[in-house]
Amino acid sequence: MDFFEHQEAARRKTKLLVFYFTVAVILIVTALNLVAFLVLSGVSSTSSVAQPPSLAQWPKQPAFAYITLATLGLIGLGSLFRWFQLRGGGKSLARMVGAREVLPDTNDRLERRFINVVEEMAIASGMPVPTLFIMDEEEAINAFVAGQESSDTIMVVTRGALEQLTRQELQGVVAHEFSHIFNADMKINVRLISILAGILILGQAGYFVMRSLRYGNVRSSNNKEGGGLIAVVIVVGISMYIIGSIGLFFGRLIKAAISRQREFLADASAVQYARDNQGLAGAFIKIGAQSSLLENRYAEETSHMCIAQPIKLNFSGLATHPPLHERLDAIMPEWQDFQHQQERKAERIQQREIAAEERRQAQESKQGFEKFGGTNVLAGMGALIDTVGNPTTLHLHAANALLMAMPEVLRTAAHNHHASSHAMYLVFALLICDDDQQETQALDLISDAYGEDSRQAVIELATYITKDKRYLRLAIIDIAIPSLRRLSKTERTNFLNLLKQIIHLDKSVTQFEYVLYSLVRKSLQSATAKQSRKINRFNKVEKEIQLILSAMVDASGNQEDKKSQLFKNLMSGFTSKDFPLLPNQFEAESFHLALLKLNQLTPMLKKPLLNAFEEAIKDDGVINVEEVELLRAVAECLDCPLPPFVQNYSQELAEKIHQH
């Protein structure tokens, strides 16, 4: 399955999740009524109370309605409360589990290593860099990702994962988590927490009552009323525990049904991305030898999200993850021999690798592009669409090389925490370095908004973004996003408004201005729960396809007489009507509105659309930086992560890296 098929499968999983939840609620209500019927029948048989109703008559009794409505109300309130708590997306979940955000400019070497690994994978895959968090109190090895949209994606690792995993092993874990992002698993995971909260609340309530009975100061009494009260509490506690256990059972059953197979898929994808099974296998071996169990109070609710089983279960059939030995067999059949090798050298490698991190990273990036510099770094022309959501080791080499080719001043500005202001200045610098900018007026607006020092900071950063470094622009945007996300809601709004104001100074919007603004805005916009109705036919978006395809054809280097024929050939794949090539006039507003409409297409319809866009820019045999940037922005607006494409300037990039 490719990226688009996984996205389509995720839509079906959401419907399946609702079905499972409905069945679980029906069974829980049935179980509760059955318990109530049996209790009342037992009470009636030992007292002078009138003959109780039969089981067939029970649904007609008032008690049936009271119990059913009360149960549905409790489940609904539990789910609604958790949904409200997590409405802010990934960061809300991180706060719920008590994770600490990693600052972009952290000086901690382990945290810096974590940032570097994630940035490499993000650039290699064309995904925004997630906001990173650490669970400082957890010594076990575990990790998870969460979020509703790419703009609020988070990645959380435990302190144990940072301290006990090597860089290679951490890269395997990060690649595994990125697979969950590509396959839309993280959206399902967050929804699953909200949906199951109502079911699990019964189990949590039962556990609380039983724990209170066990550790509380409930004392026996000869007093008749006191003894009766204690008896009632015991009966209620036992009933709540039993019924809560039913809810817990169904909750775990649903999570196991949704999660187990996804873990095998994520493991295989992680190995494919890095072309290396030793990293992830090494992480699994350490998890098996040590632990992945979390002490966090929300471990039960988040168990389906983690890379390894975070809670202890007596029955493996309810586990959200396959056994570690099965996962190891799947990615490395000879893992036991590998384990023996790792055990012999683990201690001496751990400290040495961390100490030599920066030297080795620089050396690897040079070797990576020296090896691939004279060839097509990606699969090449005609295969770009196949890399969507499917980065390879070549993309990781490309991402690492792009980071190493970036001037240190720019990397520091992107990461500087004092923080987000410098990231804003970096975006402004990218903007004023574009051709035909109203530089003086733009700097005046910036200094009016942020002070005279901001003008000088932007000018200084702009000196490092020369024309020969334009191939770095997308990578610069990518690594600046985490710092920009630290802006408050008001600061984000002011920043985006100023960015738009500068762009419109010359009364027009260039392609790069659109690329820059659309990528930054999408990464900073708040996650919304509103879901547009999916479009499953191209005939409903013919005009939108005409507009975007015309822009892509015009952006290509083809001669004018060839553009019309190219457009006609590509457009025929979507409609039998005769749509003309639109005039070469980039109009950002209509372009963006068309992309918003096209984003409502089902995943399987987006695939041929992106394929046509790729064909448009590669038809002349040359793909330049501006074409790649435009295609990346289009893919981003369609929620399709596009890895870096450095085919045509890979040799140049290799030479630049050797100069650093």
Side-chain angles (χ1 to χ4, degrees), residues 233-273:
V233 172
I234 292 175
V235 171
V236 170
I238 293 174
S239 300
M240 287 289 290
Y241 184 77
I242 293 173
I243 297 201
S245 297
I246 294 172
L248 188 61
F249 170 82
F250 284 123
R252 288 177 175 174
L253 189 64
I254 292 172
K255 289 191 288 184
I258 294 290
S259 301
R260 287 175 69 94
Q261 199 58 36
R262 294 183 313 168
E263 294 305 318
F264 279 124
L265 173 62
D267 294 344
S269 298
V271 172
Q272 179 183 346
Y273 299 156

Short mmCIF file of all heavy atoms in Angstrom, two decimals, residues 233-273:
data_model
loop_
_atom_site.label_atom_id
_atom_site.label_comp_id
_atom_site.label_asym_id
_atom_site.label_seq_id
_atom_site.Cartn_x
_atom_site.Cartn_y
_atom_site.Cartn_z
N VAL A 233 -22.26 -0.02 50.44
CA VAL A 233 -21.02 0.44 49.81
C VAL A 233 -20.27 -0.72 49.18
O VAL A 233 -19.75 -0.63 48.05
CB VAL A 233 -20.13 1.16 50.84
CG1 VAL A 233 -18.76 1.46 50.23
CG2 VAL A 233 -20.78 2.44 51.31
N ILE A 234 -20.23 -1.85 49.90
CA ILE A 234 -19.53 -3.02 49.37
C ILE A 234 -20.21 -3.52 48.10
O ILE A 234 -19.55 -3.82 47.10
CB ILE A 234 -19.48 -4.13 50.43
CG1 ILE A 234 -18.57 -3.69 51.58
CG2 ILE A 234 -18.99 -5.44 49.82
CD1 ILE A 234 -18.54 -4.65 52.75
N VAL A 235 -21.55 -3.61 48.14
CA VAL A 235 -22.28 -4.07 46.96
C VAL A 235 -22.06 -3.13 45.78
O VAL A 235 -21.81 -3.56 44.64
CB VAL A 235 -23.79 -4.20 47.28
CG1 VAL A 235 -24.58 -4.45 46.00
CG2 VAL A 235 -24.03 -5.32 48.27
N VAL A 236 -22.15 -1.82 46.05
CA VAL A 236 -21.94 -0.83 44.98
C VAL A 236 -20.52 -0.93 44.44
O VAL A 236 -20.29 -0.90 43.22
CB VAL A 236 -22.22 0.60 45.49
CG1 VAL A 236 -21.76 1.63 44.46
CG2 VAL A 236 -23.69 0.78 45.80
N GLY A 237 -19.55 -1.07 45.36
CA GLY A 237 -18.16 -1.15 44.94
C GLY A 237 -17.90 -2.36 44.07
O GLY A 237 -17.26 -2.26 43.01
N ILE A 238 -18.40 -3.53 44.51
CA ILE A 238 -18.20 -4.74 43.72
C ILE A 238 -18.89 -4.63 42.37
O ILE A 238 -18.33 -5.00 41.33
CB ILE A 238 -18.71 -5.98 44.50
CG1 ILE A 238 -17.84 -6.20 45.75
CG2 ILE A 238 -18.71 -7.22 43.62
CD1 ILE A 238 -18.34 -7.30 46.66
N SER A 239 -20.12 -4.10 42.37
CA SER A 239 -20.86 -3.95 41.11
C SER A 239 -20.14 -3.01 40.15
O SER A 239 -20.00 -3.28 38.96
CB SER A 239 -22.28 -3.43 41.39
OG SER A 239 -22.98 -4.33 42.22
N MET A 240 -19.68 -1.86 40.71
CA MET A 240 -18.96 -0.90 39.87
C MET A 240 -17.68 -1.52 39.31
O MET A 240 -17.31 -1.29 38.16
CB MET A 240 -18.63 0.36 40.69
CG MET A 240 -19.83 1.24 40.96
SD MET A 240 -20.41 2.07 39.46
CE MET A 240 -19.09 3.22 39.18
N TYR A 241 -17.01 -2.30 40.14
CA TYR A 241 -15.75 -2.90 39.70
C TYR A 241 -16.00 -3.91 38.58
O TYR A 241 -15.28 -3.93 37.57
CB TYR A 241 -15.05 -3.59 40.87
CG TYR A 241 -13.70 -4.15 40.51
CD1 TYR A 241 -12.59 -3.31 40.39
CD2 TYR A 241 -13.53 -5.51 40.27
CE1 TYR A 241 -11.35 -3.81 40.05
CE2 TYR A 241 -12.29 -6.02 39.92
CZ TYR A 241 -11.20 -5.16 39.82
OH TYR A 241 -9.99 -5.67 39.46
N ILE A 242 -17.02 -4.73 38.77
CA ILE A 242 -17.34 -5.75 37.76
C ILE A 242 -17.76 -5.09 36.45
O ILE A 242 -17.28 -5.41 35.36
CB ILE A 242 -18.45 -6.70 38.26
CG1 ILE A 242 -17.91 -7.53 39.44
CG2 ILE A 242 -18.94 -7.61 37.14
CD1 ILE A 242 -18.97 -8.38 40.11
N ILE A 243 -18.69 -4.11 36.58
CA ILE A 243 -19.18 -3.45 35.37
C ILE A 243 -18.08 -2.59 34.75
O ILE A 243 -17.96 -2.52 33.53
CB ILE A 243 -20.40 -2.60 35.70
CG1 ILE A 243 -21.43 -3.51 36.19
CG2 ILE A 243 -20.85 -1.75 34.53
CD1 ILE A 243 -22.71 -3.54 36.34
N GLY A 244 -17.29 -1.96 35.63
CA GLY A 244 -16.15 -1.19 35.11
C GLY A 244 -15.17 -2.07 34.37
O GLY A 244 -14.60 -1.68 33.36
N SER A 245 -15.00 -3.29 34.88
CA SER A 245 -14.11 -4.23 34.20
C SER A 245 -14.65 -4.60 32.83
O SER A 245 -13.88 -4.84 31.89
CB SER A 245 -13.94 -5.50 35.05
OG SER A 245 -13.33 -5.18 36.29
N ILE A 246 -15.97 -4.65 32.70
CA ILE A 246 -16.58 -4.92 31.39
C ILE A 246 -16.21 -3.79 30.42
O ILE A 246 -15.81 -4.02 29.28
CB ILE A 246 -18.11 -5.05 31.51
CG1 ILE A 246 -18.46 -6.30 32.33
CG2 ILE A 246 -18.76 -5.13 30.13
CD1 ILE A 246 -19.94 -6.41 32.65
N GLY A 247 -16.35 -2.53 30.89
CA GLY A 247 -15.98 -1.39 30.05
C GLY A 247 -14.50 -1.41 29.70
O GLY A 247 -14.11 -1.13 28.56
N LEU A 248 -13.66 -1.75 30.69
CA LEU A 248 -12.22 -1.82 30.45
C LEU A 248 -11.90 -2.91 29.43
O LEU A 248 -11.05 -2.73 28.55
CB LEU A 248 -11.50 -2.11 31.77
CG LEU A 248 -9.97 -2.03 31.76
CD1 LEU A 248 -9.51 -0.63 31.40
CD2 LEU A 248 -9.43 -2.43 33.13
N PHE A 249 -12.59 -4.04 29.55
CA PHE A 249 -12.37 -5.14 28.61
C PHE A 249 -12.69 -4.70 27.18
O PHE A 249 -11.91 -4.93 26.26
CB PHE A 249 -13.24 -6.34 29.01
CG PHE A 249 -13.26 -7.44 27.99
CD1 PHE A 249 -12.24 -8.37 27.93
CD2 PHE A 249 -14.30 -7.54 27.07
CE1 PHE A 249 -12.25 -9.38 26.98
CE2 PHE A 249 -14.33 -8.55 26.12
CZ PHE A 249 -13.29 -9.48 26.08
N PHE A 250 -13.86 -4.07 27.01
CA PHE A 250 -14.25 -3.65 25.67
C PHE A 250 -13.33 -2.55 25.14
O PHE A 250 -13.01 -2.51 23.94
CB PHE A 250 -15.70 -3.18 25.65
CG PHE A 250 -16.69 -4.30 25.70
CD1 PHE A 250 -17.65 -4.35 26.70
CD2 PHE A 250 -16.67 -5.31 24.75
CE1 PHE A 250 -18.57 -5.39 26.75
CE2 PHE A 250 -17.59 -6.34 24.79
CZ PHE A 250 -18.54 -6.39 25.79
N GLY A 251 -12.90 -1.65 26.03
CA GLY A 251 -11.97 -0.61 25.61
C GLY A 251 -10.67 -1.20 25.09
O GLY A 251 -10.15 -0.80 24.05
N ARG A 252 -10.13 -2.17 25.83
CA ARG A 252 -8.88 -2.81 25.40
C ARG A 252 -9.08 -3.63 24.14
O ARG A 252 -8.20 -3.71 23.28
CB ARG A 252 -8.34 -3.69 26.52
CG ARG A 252 -7.76 -2.89 27.69
CD ARG A 252 -7.29 -3.78 28.81
NE ARG A 252 -6.63 -3.00 29.86
CZ ARG A 252 -6.22 -3.51 31.03
NH1 ARG A 252 -6.42 -4.81 31.29
NH2 ARG A 252 -5.62 -2.75 31.91
N LEU A 253 -10.24 -4.25 24.03
CA LEU A 253 -10.53 -5.06 22.83
C LEU A 253 -10.56 -4.17 21.59
O LEU A 253 -10.01 -4.53 20.54
CB LEU A 253 -11.87 -5.77 23.01
CG LEU A 253 -12.23 -6.82 21.94
CD1 LEU A 253 -11.24 -7.97 21.98
CD2 LEU A 253 -13.65 -7.33 22.17
N ILE A 254 -11.20 -3.00 21.70
CA ILE A 254 -11.26 -2.08 20.57
C ILE A 254 -9.86 -1.59 20.20
O ILE A 254 -9.48 -1.55 19.03
CB ILE A 254 -12.18 -0.89 20.90
CG1 ILE A 254 -13.64 -1.35 21.01
CG2 ILE A 254 -12.06 0.21 19.84
CD1 ILE A 254 -14.58 -0.29 21.52
N LYS A 255 -9.08 -1.20 21.20
CA LYS A 255 -7.73 -0.71 20.94
C LYS A 255 -6.87 -1.79 20.29
O LYS A 255 -6.09 -1.51 19.38
CB LYS A 255 -7.09 -0.20 22.23
CG LYS A 255 -7.69 1.10 22.73
CD LYS A 255 -6.89 1.72 23.84
CE LYS A 255 -7.03 0.95 25.13
NZ LYS A 255 -6.32 1.61 26.25
N ALA A 256 -7.01 -3.02 20.77
CA ALA A 256 -6.23 -4.12 20.20
C ALA A 256 -6.63 -4.36 18.75
O ALA A 256 -5.78 -4.58 17.87
CB ALA A 256 -6.43 -5.39 21.02
N ALA A 257 -7.94 -4.29 18.46
CA ALA A 257 -8.42 -4.52 17.10
C ALA A 257 -7.91 -3.45 16.14
O ALA A 257 -7.63 -3.72 14.97
CB ALA A 257 -9.95 -4.56 17.09
N ILE A 258 -7.79 -2.22 16.63
CA ILE A 258 -7.37 -1.11 15.78
C ILE A 258 -5.85 -1.06 15.63
O ILE A 258 -5.32 -0.73 14.57
CB ILE A 258 -7.88 0.23 16.36
CG1 ILE A 258 -9.40 0.31 16.29
CG2 ILE A 258 -7.26 1.42 15.63
CD1 ILE A 258 -9.97 0.44 14.91
N SER A 259 -5.11 -1.41 16.70
CA SER A 259 -3.70 -1.06 16.79
C SER A 259 -2.72 -2.15 16.36
O SER A 259 -1.65 -1.83 15.82
CB SER A 259 -3.35 -0.65 18.23
OG SER A 259 -4.12 0.45 18.63
N ARG A 260 -2.99 -3.40 16.63
CA ARG A 260 -1.95 -4.44 16.51
C ARG A 260 -1.33 -4.50 15.11
O ARG A 260 -0.11 -4.51 14.97
CB ARG A 260 -2.52 -5.80 16.89
CG ARG A 260 -2.75 -5.96 18.39
CD ARG A 260 -3.43 -7.28 18.70
NE ARG A 260 -2.57 -8.41 18.45
CZ ARG A 260 -1.80 -8.99 19.38
NH1 ARG A 260 -1.79 -8.53 20.62
NH2 ARG A 260 -1.06 -10.03 19.07
N GLN A 261 -2.16 -4.54 14.08
CA GLN A 261 -1.62 -4.67 12.74
C GLN A 261 -0.89 -3.41 12.30
O GLN A 261 0.07 -3.47 11.52
CB GLN A 261 -2.75 -4.99 11.75
CG GLN A 261 -2.27 -5.60 10.43
CD GLN A 261 -1.48 -6.88 10.62
OE1 GLN A 261 -1.78 -7.68 11.50
NE2 GLN A 261 -0.45 -7.07 9.81
N ARG A 262 -1.32 -2.25 12.83
CA ARG A 262 -0.66 -0.99 12.46
C ARG A 262 0.78 -0.98 12.93
O ARG A 262 1.63 -0.33 12.32
CB ARG A 262 -1.42 0.19 13.06
CG ARG A 262 -2.81 0.40 12.51
CD ARG A 262 -3.44 1.64 13.09
NE ARG A 262 -3.28 1.69 14.53
CZ ARG A 262 -3.54 2.76 15.27
NH1 ARG A 262 -3.95 3.86 14.69
NH2 ARG A 262 -3.39 2.73 16.57
N GLU A 263 1.07 -1.65 14.06
CA GLU A 263 2.43 -1.65 14.57
C GLU A 263 3.37 -2.42 13.64
O GLU A 263 4.51 -2.01 13.41
CB GLU A 263 2.46 -2.25 15.98
CG GLU A 263 1.71 -1.41 17.01
CD GLU A 263 2.21 0.02 17.07
OE1 GLU A 263 3.44 0.24 17.02
OE2 GLU A 263 1.37 0.93 17.14
N PHE A 264 2.91 -3.56 13.11
CA PHE A 264 3.73 -4.28 12.13
C PHE A 264 4.01 -3.40 10.92
O PHE A 264 5.13 -3.36 10.40
CB PHE A 264 3.01 -5.55 11.67
CG PHE A 264 3.14 -6.71 12.62
CD1 PHE A 264 2.01 -7.33 13.14
CD2 PHE A 264 4.38 -7.20 13.00
CE1 PHE A 264 2.12 -8.41 14.01
CE2 PHE A 264 4.51 -8.28 13.87
CZ PHE A 264 3.37 -8.88 14.38
N LEU A 265 2.98 -2.68 10.46
CA LEU A 265 3.13 -1.80 9.30
C LEU A 265 4.12 -0.67 9.60
O LEU A 265 4.99 -0.36 8.77
CB LEU A 265 1.77 -1.21 8.92
CG LEU A 265 1.78 -0.12 7.84
CD1 LEU A 265 2.31 -0.68 6.53
CD2 LEU A 265 0.38 0.45 7.65
N ALA A 266 4.01 -0.07 10.77
CA ALA A 266 4.91 1.03 11.13
C ALA A 266 6.35 0.53 11.26
O ALA A 266 7.29 1.23 10.89
CB ALA A 266 4.46 1.68 12.43
N ASP A 267 6.55 -0.68 11.80
CA ASP A 267 7.89 -1.25 11.90
C ASP A 267 8.50 -1.43 10.52
O ASP A 267 9.66 -1.04 10.28
CB ASP A 267 7.84 -2.61 12.61
CG ASP A 267 7.42 -2.51 14.07
OD1 ASP A 267 7.47 -1.40 14.62
OD2 ASP A 267 7.05 -3.55 14.64
N ALA A 268 7.72 -2.02 9.60
CA ALA A 268 8.23 -2.26 8.24
C ALA A 268 8.53 -0.94 7.54
O ALA A 268 9.54 -0.82 6.83
CB ALA A 268 7.21 -3.07 7.45
N SER A 269 7.67 0.06 7.73
CA SER A 269 7.88 1.36 7.09
C SER A 269 9.13 2.03 7.63
O SER A 269 9.90 2.64 6.86
CB SER A 269 6.66 2.25 7.32
OG SER A 269 5.50 1.70 6.74
N ALA A 270 9.36 1.93 8.94
CA ALA A 270 10.54 2.55 9.55
C ALA A 270 11.82 1.96 8.96
O ALA A 270 12.79 2.68 8.67
CB ALA A 270 10.51 2.36 11.06
N VAL A 271 11.85 0.64 8.79
CA VAL A 271 13.02 -0.02 8.20
C VAL A 271 13.19 0.42 6.75
O VAL A 271 14.30 0.66 6.28
CB VAL A 271 12.87 -1.56 8.28
CG1 VAL A 271 13.97 -2.25 7.50
CG2 VAL A 271 12.90 -2.00 9.74
N GLN A 272 12.07 0.57 6.04
CA GLN A 272 12.13 0.99 4.64
C GLN A 272 12.65 2.41 4.52
O GLN A 272 13.47 2.71 3.64
CB GLN A 272 10.75 0.89 4.02
CG GLN A 272 10.69 1.34 2.57
CD GLN A 272 9.27 1.28 2.01
OE1 GLN A 272 8.40 0.68 2.60
NE2 GLN A 272 9.06 1.92 0.88
N TYR A 273 12.21 3.32 5.38
CA TYR A 273 12.64 4.71 5.31
C TYR A 273 14.15 4.83 5.48
O TYR A 273 14.82 5.54 4.74
CB TYR A 273 11.96 5.55 6.40
CG TYR A 273 10.46 5.60 6.31
CD1 TYR A 273 9.69 5.87 7.44
CD2 TYR A 273 9.80 5.36 5.11
CE1 TYR A 273 8.30 5.91 7.37
CE2 TYR A 273 8.42 5.40 5.04
CZ TYR A 273 7.68 5.67 6.18
OH TYR A 273 6.33 5.70 6.12
#
